[in-house]
Amino acid sequence: MPCPCGLPEDYDACCGMFHSGKANAPTAQRLMRSRYCAFVKQDIRYLKETTWPAQQKHFDEAGYAARAADSIWLGLTVHATEEGSETDVRGTVTFTAKSMVNGVIDDHTEKSLFKKKSGNWFYVKAVA
């Protein structure tokens, strides 16, 4: 069964490696995909750890946990990636995460900023 992030590998060979700490996401897009998968798996710890370090103290664990638990995750579409390669230090990913909450479909489209620090990618903020 393919990973919830939309790539064809199974979870353990894809986002599971990042969630378990066996590897770090090599690109901004792979981090974004692994964060979507963390919502599906309700891995709030991973979401916090991959948030820009200065923002982690303000991370709303209860809010993220409620959003993850209340949603049926229906899929992820990546629309565009700008920079964010293994050799970059910043990049953006535009995506749509589709979910259903209380029977209502939600298409959350966002352009997210990612930055690399000490060789690891982090989610910084939505920019559009």
Side-chain angles (χ1 to χ4, degrees):
M1 180 159 210
C3 187
C5 80
L7 295 177
E9 294 88 7
D10 71 10
Y11 171 74
D12 290 335
C14 193
C15 292
M17 295 186 317
F18 309 137
H19 294 173
S20 70
K22 293 179 183 171
N24 294 320
T27 66
Q29 185 184 129
R30 289 298 302 269
L31 181 65
M32 186 279 308
R33 287 180 176 278
S34 70
R35 286 176 58 88
Y36 169 83
C37 188
F39 272 104
V40 174
K41 298 287 189 177
Q42 300 183 36
D43 188 345
I44 308 310
R45 172 202 53 82
Y46 182 80
L47 292 169
K48 182 176 183 178
E49 289 175 357
T50 58
T51 296
W52 188 247
Q55 297 169 347
Q56 289 180 12
K57 62 185 171 197
H58 304 292
F59 186 86
D60 179 10
E61 290 184 50
Y64 276 81
R67 172 71 168 117
D70 291 346
S71 300
I72 298 171
W73 298 95
L74 303 173
L76 175 69
T77 302
V78 175
H79 304 291
T81 301
E82 299 169 30
E83 299 179 310
S85 73
E86 292 183 34
T87 58
D88 290 319
V89 294
R90 61 179 286 132
T92 61
V93 181
T94 304
F95 65 92
T96 299
K98 190 171 197 167
S99 63
M100 184 168 50
V101 179
N102 298 323
V104 178
I105 300 290
D106 177 44
D107 289 330
H108 176 79
T109 299
E110 178 178 307
K111 182 176 184 179
S112 296
L113 173 64
F114 296 86
K115 289 185 181 179
K116 192 188 286 186
K117 182 177 183 177
S118 302
N120 295 318
W121 282 103
F122 295 92
Y123 168 80
V124 179
K125 64 181 179 177
V127 292

